[in-house]
Amino acid sequence: RENAVALKTTHGFSKHSAFRSWKSMVARCTDPTDKDYPGYGGRGVSVCSEWLDIANFVMDMGEKPTGMTLERINNDEGYRPDNCRWATPIEQGSNKRNNNNLVIGGETLCLAAASRKYGIPESTLRNRLNAGMAPEDAVLPRARRGGK
């Protein structure tokens, strides 16, 4: 029985917390039939050769923290140790290619992050920017006109 199990075991990581993240990463970058391939492998995002072996991926990334996902720091570059981290859903959402990024006081923030940081509803911030306000002005609280 032990020999049969050993023969069928390819890497021994299928129960590791990072396995599904690793498997999805490899599929979306290397398998043209994967639904996410066009936005990853299809646009040139690759997995470094070392990470095609899950043992190396686990050694570099460690356990997947609960509630976090694998994120590329620079979305235009591939999956490799110096460009990946475990991130929360909010961090992931702030690091998307289609975000509207604002530079405020030298800091680059997506619209949602600026909304959270400055306490301005996203819709208000978007309307101010669409009206032509500079990002620095758009995040300032406004006094109500005609109010009490």
Side-chain angles (χ1 to χ4, degrees):
R1 183 171 186 270
E2 289 176 24
N3 287 341
V5 169
L7 286 173
K8 292 187 179 224
T9 302
T10 56
H11 51 65
F13 286 96
S14 62
K15 302 233 186 286
H16 192 278
S17 63
F19 177 72
R20 289 179 70 186
S21 296
W22 171 80
K23 187 175 178 181
S24 296
M25 168 191 69
V26 172
R28 65 181 165 255
C29 291
T30 64
D31 180 2
T33 64
D34 186 271
K35 67 177 181 56
D36 294 321
Y37 180 82
Y40 290 85
R43 70 176 193 95
V45 175
S46 62
V47 178
C48 69
S49 59
E50 294 83 15
W51 277 12
L52 294 174
D53 179 340
I54 188 171
N56 293 329
F57 175 78
V58 168
M59 186 171 40
D60 290 335
M61 293 300 295
E63 294 284 335
K64 175 185 172 188
T66 303
M68 298 186 110
T69 58
L70 183 63
E71 176 183 62
R72 284 173 295 126
I73 297 164
N74 181 334
N75 286 325
D76 292 323
E77 297 181 11
Y79 289 93
R80 61 177 194 276
D82 65 337
N83 192 41
C84 289
R85 67 181 182 154
W86 296 115
T88 66
I90 288 177
E91 290 168 329
Q92 280 274 10
S94 295
N95 189 23
K96 293 169 45 177
R97 286 185 296 141
N98 64 350
N99 277 346
N100 294 322
N101 289 320
L102 314 171
V103 178
I104 303 167
E107 180 181 20
T108 301
L109 299 166
C110 71
L111 189 72
S115 168
R116 285 189 302 273
K117 181 173 182 172
Y118 293 98
I120 308 274
E122 272 188 67
S123 58
T124 301
L125 188 52
R126 186 177 293 108
N127 289 339
R128 289 176 180 181
L129 293 167
N130 288 342
M133 290 182 85
E136 290 85 5
D137 296 331
V139 296
L140 296 175
R142 289 267 202 230
R144 291 183 185 253
R145 284 186 238 173
K148 294 182 180 182

